[in-house]
Coordinates of all heavy atoms in Angstrom, one line a residue:
V10 N 2.9 18.0 15.6 CA 2.1 17.7 16.6 C 1.3 16.4 16.4 O 1.2 15.5 17.2 CB 1.2 18.9 17.0 CG1 0.1 18.4 18.1 CG2 2.0 20.0 17.6
I11 N 0.7 16.3 15.2 CA -0.1 15.1 14.9 C 0.8 13.9 14.8 O 0.5 12.9 15.3 CB -0.8 15.3 13.5 CG1 -1.8 16.4 13.6 CG2 -1.3 14.1 12.9 CD1 -2.4 16.9 12.2
G12 N 2.1 14.1 14.3 CA 3.0 13.0 14.3 C 3.4 12.5 15.6 O 3.5 11.3 15.9
V13 N 3.6 13.4 16.6 CA 4.0 13.0 17.9 C 2.9 12.3 18.6 O 3.0 11.3 19.3 CB 4.6 14.2 18.7 CG1 4.7 13.9 20.2 CG2 5.8 14.7 18.2
V14 N 1.6 12.9 18.5 CA 0.5 12.2 19.1 C 0.3 10.9 18.5 O 0.0 9.9 19.3 CB -0.7 13.1 18.9 CG1 -2.0 12.4 19.2 CG2 -0.6 14.4 19.7
A15 N 0.3 10.7 17.2 CA 0.2 9.4 16.6 C 1.3 8.4 17.0 O 1.1 7.2 17.2 CB 0.2 9.5 15.1
L16 N 2.5 8.9 17.2 CA 3.6 8.1 17.6 C 3.4 7.6 19.1 O 3.5 6.3 19.4 CB 4.9 8.9 17.7 CG 6.2 8.2 17.9 CD1 6.5 7.1 16.9 CD2 7.3 9.1 18.1
V17 N 2.9 8.4 19.9 CA 2.6 8.0 21.3 C 1.5 7.0 21.4 O 1.6 6.0 22.1 CB 2.4 9.2 22.2 CG1 1.8 8.8 23.6 CG2 3.6 10.1 22.4
I18 N 0.4 7.3 20.7 CA -0.7 6.4 20.7 C -0.4 5.1 20.0 O -0.7 4.0 20.6 CB -2.0 7.1 20.0 CG1 -2.5 8.3 20.8 CG2 -3.0 6.0 19.8 CD1 -3.5 9.1 20.1
G19 N 0.3 5.1 19.0 CA 0.7 3.8 18.3 C 1.7 3.0 19.1 O 1.6 1.8 19.2
Y20 N 2.6 3.6 19.9 CA 3.4 2.9 20.8 C 2.7 2.3 21.9 O 3.0 1.1 22.3 CB 4.6 3.9 21.3 CG 5.6 3.2 22.1 CD1 6.5 2.3 21.6 CD2 5.6 3.4 23.5 CE1 7.5 1.7 22.4 CE2 6.5 2.7 24.3 CZ 7.4 1.9 23.8 OH 8.3 1.3 24.5
R21 N 1.8 3.0 22.5 CA 1.1 2.5 23.7 C 0.2 1.4 23.3 O -0.1 0.5 24.1 CB 0.3 3.6 24.4 CG 1.2 4.6 25.1 CD 0.4 5.5 25.9 NE 1.3 6.5 26.6 CZ 1.6 6.5 27.9 NH1 1.1 5.6 28.6 NH2 2.4 7.5 28.4
R22 N -0.5 1.4 22.2 CA -1.4 0.5 21.7 C -0.8 -0.6 20.9 O -1.5 -1.6 20.5 CB -2.6 1.1 20.9 CG -3.4 2.0 21.7 CD -4.6 2.5 20.9 NE -5.4 3.5 21.7 CZ -6.4 4.1 21.2 NH1 -6.7 4.1 20.0 NH2 -7.1 5.0 22.0
N23 N 0.4 -0.5 20.7 CA 1.3 -1.6 19.9 C 0.7 -1.7 18.5 O 0.4 -2.8 18.0 CB 1.3 -2.8 20.7 CG 2.5 -3.7 20.2 OD1 3.4 -3.2 19.5 ND2 2.5 -4.9 20.5
Q24 N 0.4 -0.6 17.8 CA -0.2 -0.6 16.5 C 0.9 -0.2 15.5 O 1.3 1.0 15.5 CB -1.4 0.3 16.3 CG -2.6 -0.2 17.2 CD -3.8 0.8 17.0 OE1 -3.7 1.8 16.6 NE2 -4.9 0.3 17.5
R25 N 1.4 -1.1 14.7 CA 2.4 -0.8 13.7 C 2.0 0.1 12.6 O 2.8 1.1 12.2 CB 2.9 -2.1 13.1 CG 3.6 -3.0 14.1 CD 4.1 -4.2 13.4 NE 4.7 -5.1 14.3 CZ 5.2 -6.3 14.0 NH1 5.2 -6.7 12.8 NH2 5.7 -7.1 14.9
N26 N 0.8 0.0 12.2 CA 0.3 0.9 11.1 C 0.3 2.3 11.6 O 0.6 3.3 10.8 CB -1.1 0.5 10.7 CG -1.0 -0.7 9.9 OD1 0.0 -1.1 9.4 ND2 -2.2 -1.4 9.8
L27 N -0.2 2.6 12.8 CA -0.2 4.0 13.4 C 1.3 4.5 13.5 O 1.5 5.7 13.3 CB -1.0 4.0 14.7 CG -1.4 5.4 15.2 CD1 -2.1 6.1 14.1 CD2 -2.2 5.3 16.5
L28 N 2.2 3.6 13.9 CA 3.5 4.1 14.0 C 4.1 4.4 12.6 O 4.9 5.3 12.5 CB 4.4 2.9 14.6 CG 4.2 2.7 16.1 CD1 4.9 1.4 16.5 CD2 4.7 3.9 16.9
L29 N 3.7 3.7 11.6 CA 4.1 4.1 10.3 C 3.6 5.4 9.9 O 4.3 6.2 9.3 CB 3.7 2.9 9.3 CG 4.0 3.2 7.8 CD1 5.5 3.3 7.5 CD2 3.3 2.2 7.0
V30 N 2.3 5.7 10.1 CA 1.7 6.9 9.8 C 2.4 8.1 10.5 O 2.7 9.1 9.9 CB 0.2 6.9 10.1 CG1 -0.4 8.3 10.1 CG2 -0.5 6.0 9.2
A31 N 2.7 7.8 11.8 CA 3.5 8.8 12.6 C 4.8 9.1 11.9 O 5.2 10.3 11.8 CB 3.6 8.3 14.0
A32 N 5.5 8.1 11.5 CA 6.8 8.4 10.8 C 6.7 9.1 9.6 O 7.5 10.1 9.3 CB 7.5 7.0 10.6
I33 N 5.7 8.8 8.8 CA 5.5 9.6 7.6 C 5.1 11.0 7.8 O 5.6 11.9 7.2 CB 4.5 8.9 6.7 CG1 5.0 7.5 6.2 CG2 4.0 9.8 5.5 CD1 4.0 6.6 5.5
V34 N 4.2 11.2 8.8 CA 3.8 12.6 9.1 C 5.0 13.4 9.7 O 5.2 14.6 9.3 CB 2.6 12.6 10.1 CG1 2.3 14.0 10.6 CG2 1.4 12.0 9.4
L35 N 5.8 12.8 10.5 CA 7.0 13.5 11.1 C 7.9 13.8 9.9 O 8.6 14.9 9.9 CB 7.6 12.6 12.2 CG 6.9 12.6 13.4 CD1 7.5 11.6 14.5 CD2 6.8 14.0 14.1
F36 N 8.1 12.9 9.0 CA 9.0 13.2 7.8 C 8.4 14.4 7.0 O 9.2 15.3 6.6 CB 9.0 11.9 6.9 CG 9.8 12.2 5.6 CD1 11.1 12.3 5.6 CD2 9.1 12.4 4.5 CE1 11.8 12.6 4.4 CE2 9.8 12.6 3.2 CZ 11.1 12.7 3.2
L37 N 7.1 14.4 6.8 CA 6.5 15.5 6.1 C 6.7 16.9 6.9 O 6.9 17.9 6.3 CB 5.0 15.3 5.9 CG 4.7 14.2 4.8 CD1 3.2 14.0 4.7 CD2 5.3 14.6 3.4
A38 N 6.6 16.8 8.2 CA 6.8 18.0 9.0 C 8.1 18.6 8.8 O 8.3 19.8 8.8 CB 6.6 17.7 10.5
G39 N 9.1 17.8 8.5 CA 10.5 18.3 8.3 C 10.7 18.7 6.9 O 11.7 19.5 6.6
S40 N 10.0 18.3 6.0 CA 10.3 18.6 4.6 C 9.3 19.4 3.8 O 9.5 19.8 2.7 CB 10.5 17.2 3.8 OG 9.3 16.5 3.8
V41 N 8.1 19.6 4.3 CA 7.0 20.3 3.6 C 7.5 21.7 3.3 O 7.1 22.3 2.3 CB 5.7 20.1 4.3 CG1 5.6 21.0 5.5 CG2 4.6 20.5 3.3
G42 N 8.2 22.4 4.2 CA 8.6 23.8 4.1 C 9.5 24.0 2.9 O 9.3 24.8 2.1
D43 N 10.5 23.1 2.8 CA 11.4 23.2 1.7 C 10.8 22.9 0.4 O 11.0 23.5 -0.6 CB 12.6 22.2 1.9 CG 13.4 22.5 3.1 OD1 13.5 23.7 3.5 OD2 14.1 21.7 3.7
F44 N 9.8 21.9 0.4 CA 9.1 21.5 -0.8 C 8.3 22.7 -1.3 O 8.3 23.0 -2.5 CB 8.3 20.3 -0.6 CG 7.4 19.9 -1.8 CD1 8.0 19.3 -2.9 CD2 6.0 20.3 -1.8 CE1 7.2 19.0 -4.0 CE2 5.3 20.0 -2.9 CZ 5.8 19.3 -3.9
A45 N 7.6 23.3 -0.4 CA 6.7 24.4 -0.8 C 7.5 25.6 -1.3 O 7.1 26.3 -2.2 CB 5.8 24.8 0.4
G46 N 8.6 25.9 -0.6 CA 9.4 27.0 -1.1 C 10.0 26.8 -2.5 O 10.0 27.7 -3.3
G47 N 10.5 25.6 -2.7 CA 11.0 25.2 -4.0 C 9.9 25.3 -5.1 O 10.2 25.7 -6.3
F48 N 8.7 24.8 -4.8 CA 7.6 24.8 -5.7 C 7.2 26.2 -6.0 O 7.0 26.6 -7.3 CB 6.4 24.0 -5.1 CG 5.3 23.8 -6.1 CD1 5.3 22.9 -7.1 CD2 4.2 24.6 -6.0 CE1 4.3 22.7 -8.0 CE2 3.1 24.4 -6.9 CZ 3.2 23.5 -7.8
K49 N 7.2 27.1 -5.1 CA 6.8 28.5 -5.3 C 7.9 29.1 -6.2 O 7.6 29.9 -7.1 CB 6.7 29.2 -3.9 CG 6.4 30.7 -4.1 CD 6.3 31.3 -2.7 CE 6.0 32.8 -2.8 NZ 6.0 33.4 -1.5
Q50 N 9.1 28.9 -5.9 CA 10.3 29.5 -6.7 C 10.2 29.0 -8.1 O 10.4 29.8 -9.0 CB 11.6 29.1 -6.0 CG 12.7 29.7 -6.7 CD 14.1 29.4 -6.0 OE1 14.2 28.5 -5.1 NE2 15.2 30.0 -6.4
G51 N 9.9 27.7 -8.4 CA 9.8 27.1 -9.7 C 8.6 27.8 -10.4 O 8.8 28.1 -11.7
L52 N 7.6 28.0 -9.8 CA 6.4 28.7 -10.4 C 6.7 30.1 -10.9 O 6.4 30.5 -12.0 CB 5.2 28.7 -9.6 CG 4.4 27.4 -9.4 CD1 3.3 27.5 -8.5 CD2 3.9 26.9 -10.8
Q53 N 7.5 30.8 -9.9 CA 7.8 32.2 -10.3 C 8.8 32.3 -11.4 O 8.7 33.1 -12.2 CB 8.4 32.9 -9.0 CG 7.4 33.1 -7.9 CD 8.1 33.6 -6.6 OE1 9.2 33.5 -6.5 NE2 7.2 34.2 -5.8
Q54 N 9.7 31.4 -11.4 CA 10.7 31.4 -12.5 C 10.0 31.0 -13.9 O 10.4 31.5 -14.9 CB 11.9 30.5 -12.2 CG 12.8 31.0 -11.2 CD 13.9 30.0 -10.9 OE1 14.0 29.0 -11.4 NE2 14.8 30.5 -10.0
G55 N 9.1 30.1 -13.8 CA 8.4 29.6 -15.0 C 7.6 30.7 -15.6 O 7.5 31.0 -16.8
A56 N 6.9 31.5 -14.6 CA 6.1 32.7 -15.2 C 7.0 33.7 -15.7 O 6.6 34.4 -16.7 CB 5.3 33.2 -14.0

Side-chain angles (χ1 to χ4, degrees):
V10 170
I11 291 169
V13 169
V14 169
L16 185 68
V17 170
I18 293 172
Y20 182 76
R21 289 189 184 254
R22 293 185 183 172
N23 199 16
Q24 294 180 346
R25 292 183 185 177
N26 289 338
L27 193 55
L28 290 170
L29 175 65
V30 169
I33 292 170
V34 170
L35 287 172
F36 173 75
L37 288 175
S40 62
V41 74
D43 294 334
F44 174 77
F48 187 77
K49 180 181 176 184
Q50 184 180 7
L52 284 176
Q53 289 173 347
Q54 287 180 354

